[in-house]
Amino acid sequence: MSDNLEKSQVVIARILQRLMDHGLQRGDLSFKDLQLGEEYRPFVPTCFDWLMQEGIVRATSSSTTSDGAFFAANPVLTAHGFAVLGKTFNTGSDEIVLAQAVTMSAQSGRSLSSLGDLIGGFLGGFTKSMGS
């Protein structure tokens, strides 16, 4: 798996973990809130936009400044996002709820593909979950 794909997975996991922890309340999200190293900064706007386009999250607005600072106003998980995170996917040797996989990835700071048996990875889990 490419290093950039792994970084994307980590960023997506951190965004989702932050939104799960925050619940349905008004607030903001910035790169600083994700507590990631600078090498992840370029991935945040695109990952957030991808999550919005897939209907997993919504926000009042989001923007990125010319110096790369990311900001989202009032980001929350959508009903579809909650449904996707509640689905299970098969790792080959076990089944795991996607929300648990997000938490594992967010806490470890590694992509799911580097967590042993979680073959198929985070993005594959999303694709499979959204298709069913």
Coordinates of all heavy atoms in Angstrom, one line a residue, residues 51-100:
L51 N -15.1 12.7 2.5 CA -16.1 12.3 3.4 C -17.4 13.0 3.2 O -18.5 12.4 3.3 CB -15.6 12.5 4.8 CG -14.5 11.5 5.3 CD1 -13.9 12.0 6.6 CD2 -15.1 10.1 5.5
M52 N -17.3 14.3 2.9 CA -18.6 15.1 2.6 C -19.2 14.6 1.3 O -20.4 14.3 1.3 CB -18.2 16.5 2.5 CG -18.0 17.2 3.8 SD -17.8 19.0 3.8 CE -19.3 19.5 3.1
Q53 N -18.4 14.4 0.2 CA -19.0 13.9 -1.0 C -19.6 12.5 -0.9 O -20.6 12.2 -1.6 CB -17.9 13.9 -2.1 CG -17.4 15.3 -2.5 CD -18.5 16.2 -3.0 OE1 -19.3 15.7 -3.9 NE2 -18.6 17.4 -2.6
E54 N -19.1 11.7 0.0 CA -19.6 10.3 0.2 C -20.8 10.3 1.1 O -21.4 9.3 1.3 CB -18.5 9.4 0.7 CG -17.4 9.1 -0.2 CD -17.8 8.4 -1.5 OE1 -18.7 7.6 -1.4 OE2 -17.3 8.7 -2.6
G55 N -21.1 11.5 1.6 CA -22.3 11.6 2.5 C -22.1 11.1 3.9 O -23.0 10.9 4.6
I56 N -20.8 11.0 4.3 CA -20.5 10.5 5.7 C -20.5 11.6 6.7 O -20.9 11.5 7.8 CB -19.1 9.9 5.7 CG1 -19.0 8.8 4.6 CG2 -18.8 9.3 7.0 CD1 -19.9 7.6 4.7
V57 N -20.1 12.8 6.3 CA -20.1 14.0 7.2 C -20.7 15.2 6.4 O -20.8 15.2 5.2 CB -18.7 14.4 7.6 CG1 -18.0 13.3 8.3 CG2 -17.8 14.9 6.5
R58 N -21.1 16.2 7.2 CA -21.6 17.4 6.6 C -21.0 18.5 7.5 O -20.6 18.3 8.7 CB -23.1 17.5 6.5 CG -23.8 17.7 7.8 CD -25.3 18.0 7.7 NE -25.9 17.1 6.8 CZ -26.9 16.2 7.1 NH1 -27.3 16.2 8.3 NH2 -27.4 15.4 6.3
A59 N -20.9 19.7 6.9 CA -20.5 20.9 7.7 C -21.1 22.1 7.1 O -21.6 22.1 5.9 CB -18.9 21.0 7.5
T60 N -21.3 23.2 7.9 CA -21.8 24.4 7.5 C -20.9 25.0 6.4 O -21.4 25.5 5.4 CB -21.9 25.4 8.6 OG1 -22.7 24.8 9.7 CG2 -22.6 26.7 8.2
S61 N -19.6 24.9 6.6 CA -18.7 25.3 5.6 C -17.3 24.7 5.9 O -17.1 24.2 7.0 CB -18.5 26.8 5.5 OG -18.0 27.3 6.7
S62 N -16.5 24.6 4.9 CA -15.1 24.2 5.1 C -14.2 25.0 4.1 O -14.7 25.4 3.1 CB -14.9 22.7 4.9 OG -15.1 22.4 3.5
S63 N -13.0 25.3 4.6 CA -12.1 26.0 3.7 C -10.6 25.7 4.0 O -10.3 25.2 5.1 CB -12.3 27.5 3.9 OG -12.0 27.9 5.3
T64 N -9.8 26.0 3.1 CA -8.4 25.8 3.2 C -7.7 27.1 2.7 O -8.0 27.6 1.6 CB -7.8 24.6 2.4 OG1 -8.6 23.5 2.7 CG2 -6.4 24.4 2.7
T65 N -6.9 27.7 3.5 CA -6.2 28.9 3.1 C -5.0 28.6 2.2 O -4.6 27.4 2.1 CB -5.7 29.7 4.4 OG1 -4.7 28.9 5.0 CG2 -6.8 30.0 5.3
S66 N -4.4 29.6 1.6 CA -3.3 29.4 0.7 C -2.1 28.8 1.4 O -1.3 28.2 0.8 CB -2.9 30.7 0.0 OG -2.6 31.7 1.0
D67 N -2.0 29.0 2.7 CA -0.9 28.4 3.4 C -1.2 27.0 4.0 O -0.4 26.4 4.7 CB -0.4 29.3 4.5 CG -1.4 29.5 5.7 OD1 -2.5 29.1 5.5 OD2 -1.0 30.1 6.7
G68 N -2.3 26.5 3.6 CA -2.7 25.1 3.9 C -3.5 24.9 5.2 O -3.7 23.8 5.6
A69 N -3.9 26.0 5.9 CA -4.7 25.9 7.1 C -6.1 25.4 6.7 O -6.7 26.0 5.9 CB -4.7 27.2 7.8
F70 N -6.5 24.4 7.4 CA -7.9 23.8 7.1 C -8.8 24.2 8.3 O -8.4 24.2 9.4 CB -7.8 22.3 7.0 CG -9.1 21.6 7.0 CD1 -9.9 21.6 5.9 CD2 -9.7 21.1 8.2 CE1 -11.2 21.0 5.9 CE2 -10.9 20.5 8.2 CZ -11.7 20.4 7.0
F71 N -10.1 24.4 7.9 CA -11.1 24.8 8.9 C -12.4 24.3 8.4 O -12.8 24.5 7.3 CB -11.1 26.3 9.1 CG -12.2 26.7 10.1 CD1 -12.0 26.7 11.4 CD2 -13.4 27.2 9.6 CE1 -13.0 27.0 12.3 CE2 -14.4 27.6 10.5 CZ -14.2 27.5 11.8
A72 N -13.2 23.6 9.3 CA -14.6 23.3 9.0 C -15.5 23.8 10.1 O -15.1 23.6 11.3 CB -14.7 21.7 8.9
A73 N -16.6 24.4 9.7 CA -17.5 24.9 10.7 C -18.6 23.9 10.9 O -19.2 23.5 9.9 CB -18.1 26.3 10.2
N74 N -18.9 23.6 12.1 CA -20.0 22.7 12.5 C -20.0 21.3 11.8 O -21.1 20.9 11.3 CB -21.3 23.4 12.3 CG -21.4 24.7 13.1 OD1 -21.1 24.7 14.3 ND2 -21.8 25.8 12.5
P75 N -18.9 20.6 11.8 CA -18.9 19.3 11.1 C -19.5 18.3 12.0 O -19.4 18.3 13.2 CB -17.4 19.0 11.0 CG -16.8 19.7 12.1 CD -17.6 21.0 12.3
V76 N -20.3 17.4 11.4 CA -21.0 16.3 12.1 C -21.1 15.1 11.2 O -21.1 15.3 10.0 CB -22.4 16.7 12.7 CG1 -22.4 17.8 13.7 CG2 -23.3 17.1 11.5
L77 N -21.3 14.0 11.8 CA -21.6 12.8 11.1 C -23.0 12.9 10.6 O -23.9 13.4 11.3 CB -21.4 11.5 11.9 CG -20.0 11.2 12.3 CD1 -20.0 10.1 13.4 CD2 -19.2 10.7 11.1
T78 N -23.3 12.4 9.4 CA -24.7 12.3 8.9 C -25.3 11.1 9.4 O -24.7 10.2 9.9 CB -24.7 12.4 7.4 OG1 -24.0 11.2 6.9 CG2 -24.0 13.6 6.8
A79 N -26.6 10.9 9.1 CA -27.3 9.7 9.5 C -26.7 8.5 8.7 O -26.4 7.4 9.2 CB -28.8 9.8 9.1
H80 N -26.3 8.8 7.4 CA -25.6 7.8 6.6 C -24.3 7.4 7.2 O -23.9 6.3 7.3 CB -25.5 8.3 5.2 CG -24.8 7.4 4.3 ND1 -25.2 6.1 4.0 CD2 -23.6 7.5 3.7 CE1 -24.3 5.5 3.2 NE2 -23.3 6.4 3.0
G81 N -23.6 8.5 7.7 CA -22.3 8.2 8.4 C -22.4 7.3 9.6 O -21.6 6.4 9.8
F82 N -23.4 7.6 10.4 CA -23.6 6.7 11.6 C -23.9 5.3 11.2 O -23.5 4.3 11.7 CB -24.8 7.3 12.5 CG -24.3 8.4 13.4 CD1 -24.8 9.7 13.2 CD2 -23.5 8.2 14.4 CE1 -24.4 10.7 14.0 CE2 -23.1 9.2 15.3 CZ -23.6 10.5 15.1
A83 N -24.7 5.2 10.1 CA -25.1 3.8 9.6 C -23.9 3.1 9.1 O -23.7 1.9 9.4 CB -26.2 3.9 8.5
V84 N -23.0 3.8 8.3 CA -21.8 3.2 7.8 C -20.9 2.8 8.9 O -20.4 1.6 8.9 CB -21.1 4.1 6.8 CG1 -19.7 3.7 6.5 CG2 -21.9 4.3 5.6
L85 N -20.7 3.6 9.9 CA -19.8 3.3 11.0 C -20.4 2.1 11.9 O -19.6 1.5 12.6 CB -19.6 4.5 11.9 CG -18.7 5.6 11.2 CD1 -18.7 6.9 12.0 CD2 -17.3 5.1 11.1
G86 N -21.7 1.9 11.8 CA -22.2 0.8 12.6 C -22.2 -0.6 11.9 O -22.5 -1.6 12.5
K87 N -21.8 -0.6 10.6 CA -21.7 -1.8 9.9 C -20.4 -2.6 10.2 O -19.4 -2.0 10.6 CB -21.7 -1.5 8.4 CG -23.1 -1.0 7.9 CD -23.1 -0.9 6.4 CE -24.5 -0.4 6.0 NZ -25.3 -1.3 5.3
T88 N -20.5 -3.9 10.0 CA -19.4 -4.7 10.2 C -18.8 -5.1 8.8 O -19.5 -5.1 7.8 CB -19.7 -6.0 10.9 OG1 -20.7 -6.7 10.2 CG2 -20.3 -5.7 12.3
F89 N -17.5 -5.4 8.8 CA -16.9 -5.9 7.7 C -15.9 -7.1 8.1 O -15.4 -7.1 9.2 CB -16.2 -4.9 6.8 CG -15.0 -4.2 7.4 CD1 -13.7 -4.6 7.1 CD2 -15.1 -3.1 8.2 CE1 -12.6 -4.0 7.6 CE2 -14.0 -2.4 8.7 CZ -12.7 -2.9 8.4
N90 N -15.8 -8.0 7.1 CA -15.0 -9.2 7.4 C -13.5 -8.9 7.1 O -13.1 -8.4 6.1 CB -15.5 -10.3 6.5 CG -14.9 -11.6 6.9 OD1 -13.7 -11.8 7.3 ND2 -15.7 -12.7 6.8
T91 N -12.6 -9.2 8.1 CA -11.2 -9.0 8.0 C -10.5 -10.2 7.4 O -9.3 -10.2 7.3 CB -10.6 -8.6 9.3 OG1 -10.7 -9.7 10.2 CG2 -11.3 -7.3 9.9
G92 N -11.2 -11.2 7.2 CA -10.6 -12.5 6.7 C -10.5 -13.5 7.8 O -10.8 -14.7 7.6
S93 N -10.3 -13.1 9.0 CA -10.3 -14.0 10.2 C -11.3 -13.6 11.2 O -11.5 -14.3 12.2 CB -8.9 -14.0 10.8 OG -8.5 -12.7 11.3
D94 N -11.9 -12.4 11.1 CA -12.8 -11.9 12.1 C -13.7 -10.9 11.4 O -13.5 -10.5 10.3 CB -12.0 -11.3 13.2 CG -12.8 -11.2 14.5 OD1 -13.9 -11.7 14.6 OD2 -12.2 -10.6 15.5
E95 N -14.7 -10.4 12.2 CA -15.5 -9.3 11.7 C -15.3 -8.2 12.7 O -15.2 -8.4 13.9 CB -17.0 -9.7 11.7 CG -17.3 -10.5 10.5 CD -18.8 -10.6 10.2 OE1 -19.6 -10.2 11.1 OE2 -19.2 -11.1 9.1
I96 N -15.4 -7.0 12.2 CA -15.2 -5.8 13.1 C -16.2 -4.7 12.7 O -16.5 -4.6 11.5 CB -13.7 -5.3 13.1 CG1 -13.5 -4.2 14.1 CG2 -13.3 -4.8 11.7 CD1 -12.0 -3.9 14.4
V97 N -16.7 -4.0 13.7 CA -17.6 -2.9 13.4 C -16.6 -1.7 12.9 O -15.6 -1.5 13.5 CB -18.3 -2.5 14.7 CG1 -19.2 -1.2 14.4 CG2 -19.2 -3.6 15.1
L98 N -17.1 -1.1 11.9 CA -16.2 0.0 11.3 C -15.8 1.0 12.3 O -14.7 1.5 12.3 CB -16.9 0.6 10.1 CG -16.1 1.4 9.1 CD1 -14.8 0.7 8.7 CD2 -16.9 1.8 7.9
A99 N -16.8 1.4 13.2 CA -16.4 2.4 14.2 C -15.3 2.0 15.1 O -14.4 2.8 15.5 CB -17.7 2.7 15.1
Q100 N -15.2 0.7 15.4 CA -14.1 0.1 16.2 C -12.8 0.2 15.4 O -11.8 0.6 16.0 CB -14.3 -1.3 16.6 CG -15.5 -1.5 17.6 CD -15.8 -3.0 17.8 OE1 -15.8 -3.8 16.8 NE2 -16.1 -3.4 19.0

